Amino acid sequence: MKAGLFICVYGVLFAASFYTYNQFYSNPTVEDAGRLLPAQVKEIAQADGEETLKEIVKQANRTGSRLTIAGMQHSQGGQTYYPGAVMIDMKPFNQVIDFQPEKKVITVQSGATWDDIQKHVNPYGLAVKVMQSQNIFTIGGSLSVNVHGRDIRHESLIDTVQSFRLLKPDGTIIRVSRTENADLFPYVIGGYGLFGIILDVTLSLTDDELYQKNTKEFDYSEYSDYFQKEVKENPAVKMHLARLSVAPSSFLREMYVTDYVTVEDQQLLKDYETLKKERIVALPKFFLGLSRYSGWGKDAFWDIQKQYMLEDNGSYESRNNVMRSETDFMAYESGTKTEVLQEYFLPVNEFADYIDDLRRVLEKEDEFNLLNITIRYVEKSDQAVLSYAKEDMFALVLLINQGRSEEEVKKSKAVIRKMIDVTLDHQGSYYLPYYSYPSKEQLETAYPRIDEFFRKKQQFDPDLRFTNHFYEEYNE
């Protein structure tokens, strides 16, 4: 009798322990760069080959599992995972498949990074046309959010894509281009991994070039006119960026801009074409750290940034190296805080009035810790269904330091919704790869084709094999 009771109790405890193990240990917890949406996934599957990827999709169809797709996971709103889903890590799937330098074309697997491409094409005097300002991201992830960068003579990334292969939710593979399965082209690019797995991509390249940096500072009210006359109408300017002060002493008033102007004697390129590596970052990292905790720190960091850029005025840099911006100094770890991004797009001629309205909102938000605003330019691009550039626009990238508690997230959400309202009032839009602070109404205003996008998703993937936080949050 006692033996039977012991066996029964032991069996119950064993079953409970096994359940606990499966729930809390065999199901890994993942999070993206924003660190605000940790979730337990069913498993992390490694993309170590095309056959493996096909089997992952077929297995998911047999078991009914959901799938998500992850690269470097710098999208910050859970676009790369979902609770209980199988998260596919694409980073091992990173080979260069074909390179035709004479045609300025390269085909790479989607887990390759921009750094991988740059190292491959730089010895041939070639460069990427459009990518982010950093080269650490995967190609598949970049396509899925349809990135843009410092180049002002091309549109967003979709403009440079010749074709890609897509592993569909049913486990079959198709090629997608502007002529093959063309109806999918504007949905998958900028589609946040919801239509299947991008296996490999064929991209158009351009010549590497030598640029001279031209940096100057001025008042924000002069920026639109300067850009229209001195940058956009000058074909020698190939790249451009600006920074707007968040320091208390010059808040949203002072700016500096850097134009990258083509050097006449391109023979000099050979002296600058070696790909640069990260340099010593201790000093900027120190002052960025100070800026997180005090207005004095923000003033000091702004002065140092300006001084450095102005002293570097007139220096030379290759196109490939302009696209290898340093990021190590921005690395940030905290148990209670995180840093999130927002990106707002607005018409060029709206800039000064927009900044005035944005300043009025933010001057009332003492606890909102804005660390940086970088400005780029993106030409009108309506190729993607979820296009963010309704016309020629400035893109303002905001870096925000915030707490991770529920209350602090709520406070950030309230301020960000106010900023988005200001942006929409100025005929602008916002970028989707970040935390899901915006309301459904704001999403529909910024992206009037969002319902069309969701309908296409449901038509193409009726079993909802591919999903993520973004889709589940907004597809109500």
Side-chain angles (χ1 to χ4, degrees), residues 77-108:
Q79 289 86 353
T80 58
Y81 59 93
Y82 190 73
V86 176
M87 188 181 83
I88 305 171
D89 180 2
M90 296 298 295
K91 292 190 292 294
F93 197 64
N94 61 2
Q95 298 302 303
V96 174
I97 297 174
D98 184 50
F99 176 45
Q100 301 179 55
E102 69 284 356
K103 295 182 178 180
K104 300 179 184 178
V105 171
I106 191 168
T107 302
V108 297

Side-chain angles (χ1 to χ4, degrees), residues 124-355:
Y124 297 85
L126 296 175
V128 172
K129 285 185 176 180
V130 176
M131 57 177 274
Q132 301 97 314
S133 293
Q134 290 83 34
N135 63 358
I136 63 172
F137 306 109
T138 63
I139 309 306
S142 298
L143 257 71
S144 294
V145 302
N146 191 25
V147 301
H148 65 97
R150 295 184 182 183
D151 186 291
I152 65 170
R153 303 302 172 185
H154 296 92
E155 301 172 10
S156 46
L157 180 58
I158 192 172
D159 187 43
T160 74
V161 178
Q162 293 192 5
S163 66
F164 57 88
R165 288 194 307 142
L166 181 71
L167 177 55
K168 296 165 54 181
D170 65 5
T172 61
I173 297 174
I174 59 173
R175 182 171 296 279
V176 181
S177 70
R178 291 175 178 82
T179 56
E180 279 182 281
N181 299 296
D183 62 310
L184 287 171
F185 193 80
Y187 288 93
V188 179
I189 300 179
Y192 296 88
L194 292 171
F195 290 84
I197 302 172
I198 297 171
L199 293 175
D200 48 63
V201 185
T202 300
L203 296 168
S204 298
L205 301 169
T206 190
D207 292 324
D208 195 15
E209 296 178 307
L210 185 63
Y211 302 133
Q212 186 172 40
K213 295 182 188 179
N214 182 359
T215 300
K216 59 184 67 177
E217 58 178 323
F218 46 73
D219 186 84
Y220 77 102
S221 62
E222 304 169 3
Y223 181 48
S224 289
D225 286 344
Y226 170 82
F227 182 85
Q228 300 263 32
K229 297 173 183 176
E230 304 297 329
V231 178
K232 190 176 179 182
E233 295 180 10
N234 182 357
V237 181
K238 297 297 183 66
M239 294 192 182
H240 171 87
L241 69 84
R243 285 199 170 89
L244 181 62
S245 172
V246 298
S249 62
S250 54
F251 187 65
L252 304 193
R253 294 187 184 279
E254 287 187 3
M255 295 183 65
Y256 68 80
V257 303
T258 300
D259 302 321
Y260 295 86
V261 183
T262 307
V263 174
E264 283 191 23
D265 185 4
Q266 286 294 312
Q267 293 299 316
L268 297 173
L269 175 62
K270 64 181 182 297
D271 297 326
Y272 297 90
E273 61 189 0
T274 300
L275 295 179
K276 68 182 181 183
K277 299 179 180 178
E278 291 276 7
R279 293 173 290 183
I280 297 173
V281 297
L283 189 61
K285 187 178 181 70
F286 171 75
F287 280 100
L288 177 59
L290 287 180
S291 76
R292 292 184 174 108
Y293 300 105
S294 71
W296 174 86
K298 286 181 172 62
D299 280 325
F301 189 46
W302 175 247
D303 289 341
I304 286 172
Q305 286 184 80
K306 280 196 306 178
Q307 179 182 352
Y308 173 80
M309 294 302 295
L310 291 169
E311 288 179 355
D312 201 38
N313 193 27
S315 64
Y316 293 151
E317 194 165 17
S318 72
R319 180 184 182 90
N320 275 323
N321 279 324
V322 173
M323 292 177 164
R324 295 175 70 82
S325 297
E326 296 174 357
T327 57
D328 281 356
F329 81 94
M330 296 179 65
Y332 176 65
E333 292 186 10
S334 169
T336 59
K337 293 183 178 294
T338 187
E339 288 181 352
V340 301
L341 293 170
Q342 288 283 291
E343 185 165 355
Y344 304 139
F345 302 89
L346 70 147
V348 170
N349 60 4
E350 292 279 336
F351 181 78
D353 290 341
Y354 171 77
I355 294 300

